[in-house]
Amino acid sequence: MAGRIGALSIKELEDRFVPILQSCENLIELKKIHTQILKYLLSQSNFLVTKMIDVCNSGGDLAYASLLFKQVKEPNVFLYNAMIRAYTNNHLYGLAITLYKQMLRDPRAGSLILPDKFTLPFVIKSCAGLLCPSLGKQIHAHVCKFGLKSHSITENALLDLYGKCDELIEAHKVFEEMTDRDIVAWNNLISGYARLGQMKKARMLFDKMPYKTIVSWTAMISGHTHIGSYAEALDVFRQMQMVGIEPDEISIVSVLPACAQLGSLELGEWIHMYCDKNHLLRRTVICNALIEMYIKCGCINQASQLFDQMVERDVVSWSTMIGGLANHGKAHKAIHLFHEMQRLKVPPNDITFIGLLSACAHTGFWNEGLMYFDSMKRDHHIEHKIEHYGCLVDLLGRAGRLDQALNIIEEMPMKPDAKIWGSLLSSCRTYSNLEIAVIAMEHLLVLEPEDTGNYVLLSNIYAKNGRWEDVSRMRKLIRSKSMKKTPGCSLIEVNNEVQEFVSGDDTKPFLKDIFWLLELLALHQDRAKDVIDIMYEDIGE
């Protein structure tokens, strides 16, 4: 072997090592190969060191890659590219930027090293990873300076950078200047607008696209869901299916929250069957989204069944189920599930405790609730957030411990919001505690001066205490401020389409048919009542 290799040129020797390095799978094997490379005096081969760094990149062994890079006396652009790529792919964005700066003024190099079309996309990606648009703009200037402006991969990297950094004006400039806009460019810009909730601009681009992929449709669905346009999200999801594009994992996870918010159970159940048929229920993130959908649609039993069938559960699975059980009046089961979670040594998070404290509130376990609240910091090192204090105030308020609830509010490390004072005011109504109600109302007048519900609650507390003059004063105050209560609304799903009905809204095209049917039902009810009355009279005789 040594005799045969001795007669080979450096290029031939390098070529001999290439297939060996390509089949290398771990650092132990790489070190053995590196030993052979050193043996044949090829440690300064930019070509072979580049290949070794690529192996380190795949395995995440960046420390060894860095050592390999530093021992080369005259690195070339290919070696720099490999190291920058390795840092970027392993999320060491700061090191990638530092290495790029070093490349531009490396004293070891025999001549000036200029970036090429393989260098800048990864440098730009690192700027995006750091969310640093100012640095990205400097690299953008380098793109123009070094004549790499018309390279589609570099331009798409710039689009991604400006989109992630909310610099959509700059992103649109890059897009307009592109000579060849591929599908990645269109999707990058649409995703940028959708992420910021600028759905009109996103839709204009979407409609102009020469052809659309699942990524394009998913960006529109998630954008509508993000800004609360749930009906529009479902509409886009249906349009996507009509043109023959099958949903993938990301599009399903994007549309299920819209189903949950609108109570679109039929579509949610169809998605569940689709996921089952396409073996997607193995994915924890999809099961979590389905569980949340069932819970918000009022189907706690289906949510429980799916939870029990899950192959792998994460903290989101447990937290969603605990919160769902608590909100559906199954507080004892929620608490039991938390104990099961602890038994399996699944670390809880802050959302877990919101559901647990809510369960304690519904069962009246105020003492246990305080214990769980204290255990957050002591046992799990989870900081209390305003939501946890809100749950605690609700817990104590429901239990009638209003003085204790007020003390908790006054000792909070953050400023209590309107929800917390509103919760206390509601509990004061239940227990007719006028003194604390007035304190709560003083804060609500500052935080929510136009909320009619707070005035009505205080008026009812006055009425319970026989303070009729104060009741009259509150009603006059409501009239003098011309306050209007937000009209109630309800949602119903018919033929896989969600319809919203708002109190006082007479714009529905089928409203006459609804009123006619309601009158028919009322008439039928009256007749049924008359028949029952006659039957009672006959029995009496």
Side-chain angles (χ1 to χ4, degrees), residues 97-117:
I97 300 296
T98 302
L99 191 62
Y100 174 68
K101 291 178 181 176
Q102 178 186 317
M103 183 185 92
L104 297 178
R105 52 175 182 267
D106 193 340
R108 296 179 297 167
S111 59
L112 182 66
I113 301 176
L114 297 178
D116 61 13
K117 63 181 181 181

Side-chain angles (χ1 to χ4, degrees), residues 274-500:
Y274 175 86
C275 292
D276 190 19
K277 181 182 176 182
N278 291 276
H279 310 292
L280 293 173
L281 292 181
R282 298 170 186 169
R283 300 288 296 161
T284 302
V285 66
I286 283 185
C287 289
N288 289 345
L290 282 167
I291 288 170
E292 185 182 19
M293 182 275 298
Y294 278 126
I295 287 170
K296 289 189 175 177
C297 288
C299 303
I300 191 65
N301 291 333
Q302 287 93 321
S304 295
Q305 286 173 10
L306 181 56
F307 178 81
D308 292 337
Q309 293 166 4
M310 286 180 72
V311 177
E312 187 177 341
R313 306 183 189 107
D314 59 12
V315 66
V316 177
S317 319
W318 290 93
S319 301
T320 304
M321 202 64 233
I322 289 169
L325 288 167
N327 292 332
H328 281 79
K330 298 180 183 290
H332 287 92
K333 286 187 177 180
I335 294 169
H336 173 76
L337 198 63
F338 177 74
H339 292 155
E340 180 67 11
M341 183 182 180
Q342 286 188 306
R343 187 183 69 80
L344 294 172
K345 295 184 172 19
V346 179
N349 62 12
D350 57 318
I351 306 298
T352 314
F353 281 97
I354 291 173
L356 183 62
L357 291 170
S358 178
C360 291
H362 286 296
T363 51
F365 292 168
W366 64 270
N367 208 10
E368 290 83 352
L370 284 170
M371 180 188 70
Y372 290 132
F373 183 84
D374 291 338
S375 76
M376 285 178 64
K377 264 189 175 181
R378 184 185 64 242
D379 301 331
H380 304 286
H381 311 292
I382 299 171
E383 290 296 322
H384 297 129
K385 295 182 179 178
I386 195 165
E387 293 85 1
H388 301 108
Y389 281 101
C391 289
L392 194 60
V393 169
D394 180 52
L395 167 72
L396 294 169
R398 285 172 184 257
R401 305 182 71 82
L402 300 176
D403 290 320
Q404 194 172 354
L406 182 59
N407 288 337
I408 292 288
I409 294 173
E410 290 173 343
E411 293 173 4
M412 282 172 60
M414 70 283 291
K415 187 178 179 181
D417 59 11
K419 287 183 181 178
I420 288 178
W421 288 113
S423 173
L424 185 63
L425 182 63
S426 180
S427 298
C428 288
R429 181 197 174 190
T430 305
Y431 292 97
S432 304
N433 191 317
L434 183 58
E435 182 183 351
I436 294 178
V438 171
I439 295 171
M441 191 63 186
E442 285 175 357
H443 290 88
L444 287 168
L445 284 171
V446 176
L447 296 168
E448 292 181 335
E450 302 301 321
D451 191 322
T452 316
N454 296 329
Y455 294 90
V456 172
L457 270 177
L458 186 57
S459 176
N460 291 339
I461 297 168
Y462 279 133
K464 273 193 173 185
N465 285 271
R467 301 272 294 267
W468 301 110
E469 287 184 6
D470 291 312
V471 172
S472 177
R473 178 172 59 83
M474 292 304 298
R475 289 178 178 172
K476 285 178 182 177
L477 183 63
I478 292 171
R479 285 195 294 270
S480 69
K481 291 195 172 190
S482 302
M483 293 181 186
K484 290 184 180 180
K485 190 177 179 182
T486 305
C489 71
S490 62
L491 301 167
I492 187 170
E493 186 179 21
V494 180
N495 295 328
N496 210 23
E497 187 174 349
V498 177
Q499 296 287 347
E500 182 181 28

Side-chain angles (χ1 to χ4, degrees), residues 141-284:
H142 284 201
V143 171
C144 300
K145 178 180 177 180
F146 296 118
L148 303 169
K149 197 174 178 183
S150 59
H151 184 230
S152 62
I153 296 174
T154 304
E155 289 170 326
N156 284 329
L158 285 168
L159 275 174
D160 182 61
L161 161 72
Y162 288 131
K164 286 179 177 175
C165 295
D166 302 343
E167 296 272 353
L168 291 185
I169 294 174
E170 295 297 326
H172 204 90
K173 285 180 184 176
V174 173
F175 183 78
E176 289 296 326
E177 292 170 2
M178 289 178 72
T179 53
D180 182 23
R181 297 171 190 157
D182 58 13
I183 194 65
V184 177
W186 286 93
N187 287 339
N188 269 335
L189 194 55
I190 288 170
S191 298
Y193 281 123
R195 196 175 58 80
L196 291 182
Q198 298 180 21
M199 293 311 297
K200 287 184 179 179
K201 291 181 179 178
R203 186 75 209 196
M204 285 174 64
L205 280 168
F206 182 78
D207 291 338
K208 290 178 183 177
M209 289 183 76
Y211 63 95
K212 302 172 181 68
T213 65
I214 184 68
V215 177
S216 322
W217 290 95
T218 302
M220 295 298 295
I221 293 166
S222 62
H224 281 302
T225 302
H226 179 67
I227 64 171
S229 300
Y230 304 117
E232 288 81 358
L234 297 190
D235 188 47
V236 173
F237 184 75
R238 291 191 187 97
Q239 289 175 26
M240 180 183 80
Q241 292 174 281
M242 288 171 67
V243 298
I245 295 179
E246 291 194 357
D248 65 356
E249 178 183 331
I250 301 172
S251 61
I252 287 168
V253 172
S254 298
V255 79
L256 278 171
C259 296
Q261 293 296 331
L262 292 176
S264 183
L265 183 59
E266 285 182 29
L267 181 57
E269 288 177 327
W270 180 89
I271 291 172
H272 188 172
M273 288 187 289
Y274 175 86
C275 292
D276 190 19
K277 181 182 176 182
N278 291 276
H279 310 292
L280 293 173
L281 292 181
R282 298 170 186 169
R283 300 288 296 161
T284 302

